[in-house]
């Protein structure tokens, strides 16, 4: 099996499937679909990003028990990174760990088992995860695709990742009153107002000294239209990249949670400024005691002969789109490193273990 996995992984890596190369995105999907031509293939497309859902039934079941989700797009890379090579038990190349190696395994394990298991199992292949997953996974969900549990083969070094932070891009605008710089008491300085807001935020959400599972505020910009020294600025804008933990609100209802969080932010700013939400992305959250999550850990422990950790991530994955409609899921992938870097690699042996874990998990459900 390892040879099959390796050769499929290498073929997938050889196609430079970056966001701006639509031909390559189609080619990489076509290559993957060749492996599963004996199944029903439902194709989707949004804004030029192709994706597919594969299953053994003639028509799509209302809800799958399990979906194996894989993205075939990669971030940009040097030309030579699209020529995979092996060295010291590692396979190098763009997408080796994020996530063409895991995709190859998911494809092959699906092919082996989908017709043998008694429950509905699907394979979901998308090509836009690296830029948000809106035209792939999210689009398919909008078309009614559902599952009890989804596994995305993102890099986790065999940890089971059940939580990831959500994102808010926030602008806070302050409005003061202009005056001559020599008579500041006659005006109201919008930048000093912004500073008061910053002080409050810094106190409530200090930057952690090291990695921590808490909400963080990255102060990205402080701007004002004022271009001179001798004027009291009458407006200012501060911009934040906020990464919030799902514990900030009830994980079940995202829309309600969003309202609660916006209220919290408004309260924090008070009447010093006005907030504007530029982006509001949900967090990822699946209960640690979820039946399938525990089952996956159990099967992984048997194969890998070590305790499997439940881990958190600071950046999200396509699983968050499923969470929004009440479907559970995790990211779980093999061992590798330097993702998005110049020397991206996947541990070759871990691909075989990954296959075994998924195989046993799916067969023993
Ligand atoms: Zn990825």
């Amino acid at each position: 099996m390892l040879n099959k996995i390796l050769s499929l992984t290498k073929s997938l890596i050889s196609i430079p499937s970056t966001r701006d190369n639509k031909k390559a995105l189609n080619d990489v999907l076509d290559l993957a679909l060749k492996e599963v031509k004996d199944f029903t293939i439902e194709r989707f497309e949004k804004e030029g990003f192709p994706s597919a859902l594969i299953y053994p039934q003639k028509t799509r079941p209302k809800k799958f028990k399990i979906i194996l989700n894989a993205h075939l797009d990669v971030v940009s890379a040097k030309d030579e990174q699209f020529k995979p090579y092996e060295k010291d038990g590692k396979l190098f190349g763009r997408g080796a760990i994020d996530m063409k190696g895991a995709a190859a395994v998911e494809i092959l394990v699906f092919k082996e088992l989908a017709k043998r298991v008694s429950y509905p199992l699907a394979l979901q292949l998308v090509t836009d995860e690296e830029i948000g997953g809106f035209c792939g996974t999210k689009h398919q969900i909008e078309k009614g695709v559902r599952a009890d549990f989804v596994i995305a083969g993102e890099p986790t070094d065999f940890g089971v990742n059940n939580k990831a932070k959500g994102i808010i891009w926030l602008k806070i605008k302050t409005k003061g009153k202009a005056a001559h710089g020599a008579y500041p008491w006659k005006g109201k300085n919008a930048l000093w107002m912004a500073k008061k807001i910053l002080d409050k935020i810094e106190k409530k959400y200090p930057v952690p000294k090291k990695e921590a599972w808490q909400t963080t505020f990255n102060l990205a910009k402080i701007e004002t239209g004022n271009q001179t020294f001798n004027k009291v600025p009458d407006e200012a804008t501060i911009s934040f990249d906020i990464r919030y933990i799902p514990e900030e609100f009830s994980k079940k209802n995202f829309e309600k949670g969003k309202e609660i969080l916006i209220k919290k932010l408004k309260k924090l700013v008070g009447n010093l400024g006005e907030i504007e939400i530029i982006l509001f992305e949900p967090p990822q959250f699946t209960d640690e005691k979820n039946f399938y999550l525990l089952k996956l850990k159990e099967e992984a422990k048997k194969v890998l002969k070590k305790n499997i950790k439940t881990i958190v991530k600071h950046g999200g994955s396509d699983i968050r789109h499923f969470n929004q409609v009440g479907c559970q899921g995790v990211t779980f992938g093999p061992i590798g490193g330097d993702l998005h870097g110049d020397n991206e690699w996947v541990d070759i042996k871990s691909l075989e273990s990954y296959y075994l874990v998924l195989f046993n998990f799916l067969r023993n459900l």
Side-chain angles (χ1 to χ4, degrees):
M1 184 47 71
L2 184 56
N3 284 338
K4 265 194 197 169
I5 297 170
L6 261 179
S7 88
L8 180 54
T9 305
K10 286 178 186 169
S11 315
L12 292 171
I13 291 175
S14 305
I15 301 175
S17 51
T18 51
R19 62 189 289 183
D20 47 354
N21 191 339
K22 293 273 160 62
K23 184 185 178 302
L25 293 177
N26 279 290
D27 288 350
V28 79
L29 183 61
D30 286 345
L31 178 81
L33 292 178
K34 260 193 209 152
E35 290 291 328
V36 287
K37 49 183 184 309
D38 298 338
F39 296 85
T40 301
I41 296 175
E42 223 184 304
R43 279 176 176 269
F44 301 80
E45 193 268 345
K46 191 180 176 189
E47 291 169 27
F49 292 97
S51 72
L53 187 71
I54 304 105
Y55 43 84
Q57 295 77 6
K58 283 228 155 53
T59 53
R60 189 205 305 165
K62 263 206 165 67
K63 197 178 194 187
F64 293 96
K65 192 189 268 278
I66 304 288
I67 289 180
L68 299 174
N69 169 293
H71 71 82
L72 299 173
D73 56 315
V74 292
V75 295
S76 59
K78 294 180 175 160
D79 286 347
E80 63 260 30
Q81 284 183 279
F82 297 109
K83 296 183 186 86
Y85 67 94
E86 291 176 43
K87 200 186 163 192
D88 304 329
K90 294 172 175 176
L91 174 67
F92 288 85
R94 172 58 82 234
I97 184 66
D98 188 12
M99 57 163 279
K100 287 176 167 173
V105 170
E106 287 185 16
I107 292 164
L108 294 171
V109 88
F110 170 85
K111 191 174 162 180
E112 189 69 29
L113 281 179
K115 287 183 182 167
R116 283 163 59 187
V117 294
S118 58
Y119 55 84
L121 169 68
L123 173 69
Q124 185 172 47
L125 300 173
V126 301
T127 61
D128 75 328
E129 194 278 340
E130 295 292 358
I131 53 169
F134 300 100
C135 299
T137 299
K138 183 151 194 205
H139 177 62
Q140 290 198 21
I141 290 169
E142 282 163 359
K143 297 281 174 197
V145 176
R146 296 288 184 276
D148 289 332
F149 195 71
V150 184
I151 299 174
E154 299 285 1
T156 65
D157 291 340
F158 288 125
V160 172
N161 162 234
N162 69 324
K163 286 196 269 189
K165 289 176 179 176
I167 307 171
I168 306 169
W169 286 351
L170 178 74
K171 280 187 177 181
I172 305 174
K173 293 189 175 176
T174 57
K175 277 209 163 58
K177 192 174 156 238
H180 191 286
Y183 308 88
W185 55 86
K186 289 190 174 174
K188 199 174 170 197
N189 191 312
L191 279 171
W192 282 122
M193 290 164 74
K195 195 231 170 223
K196 280 186 191 154
I197 297 172
L198 292 176
D199 287 345
K200 279 184 159 188
I201 288 173
E202 197 187 11
K203 200 170 163 210
K204 178 126 186 158
Y205 294 100
V207 176
K209 295 227 161 27
K210 55 180 175 66
E211 185 176 343
W213 188 244
Q214 66 186 60
T215 298
T216 57
F217 276 62
N218 172 48
L219 173 57
K221 270 191 280 186
I222 304 175
E223 295 165 291
T224 174
N226 181 34
Q227 297 298 318
T228 65
F229 281 82
N230 59 354
K231 187 188 157 191
V232 174
D234 60 352
E235 51 86 18
T237 304
I238 37 187
S239 303
F240 285 102
D241 178 3
I242 305 170
R243 303 299 169 118
Y244 67 96
I245 54 176
E247 288 85 348
E248 289 279 356
F249 57 74
S250 145
K251 304 95 193 168
K252 296 238 160 56
N253 186 337
F254 173 65
E255 282 311 317
K256 193 131 192 251
K258 188 172 163 179
E259 256 174 55
I260 293 171
L261 203 43
I262 290 175
K263 238 187 222 162
K264 271 194 201 179
L265 291 168
K266 279 190 173 152
K267 203 176 158 204
L268 190 63
V269 173
N271 53 13
L272 284 166
E274 261 186 35
I275 72 170
E276 185 191 346
I277 307 284
I278 305 298
L279 174 86
F280 205 119
E281 275 296 295
Q284 179 182 317
F285 181 89
T286 290
D287 200 291
E288 264 174 72
K289 296 198 172 65
N290 174 283
F291 168 80
Y292 299 102
L293 184 152
L294 292 175
K295 186 85 187 151
L296 182 62
K297 281 176 80 171
E298 188 189 310
E299 295 293 351
K301 187 180 173 180
K302 276 189 219 157
V303 170
L304 301 161
K305 300 186 174 56
K306 62 167 191 178
N307 269 321
I308 303 299
K309 288 195 185 108
T310 306
I311 58 169
V312 295
K313 289 243 175 176
H314 299 274
S317 73
D318 270 3
I319 295 294
R320 75 189 192 284
H321 297 307
F322 277 106
N323 287 161
Q324 262 183 289
V325 293
C327 300
Q328 307 296 293
V330 294
T331 66
F332 172 72
I335 295 169
D338 204 27
L339 45 149
H340 298 197
D342 288 347
N343 292 299
E344 184 175 344
W345 59 276
V346 65
D347 179 277
I348 292 173
K349 264 198 192 136
S350 82
L351 286 176
E352 196 170 33
S353 311
Y354 186 59
Y355 181 92
L356 262 181
V357 174
L358 289 185
F359 185 92
N360 292 347
F361 167 76
L362 294 169
R363 197 189 48 185
N364 297 333
L365 274 184

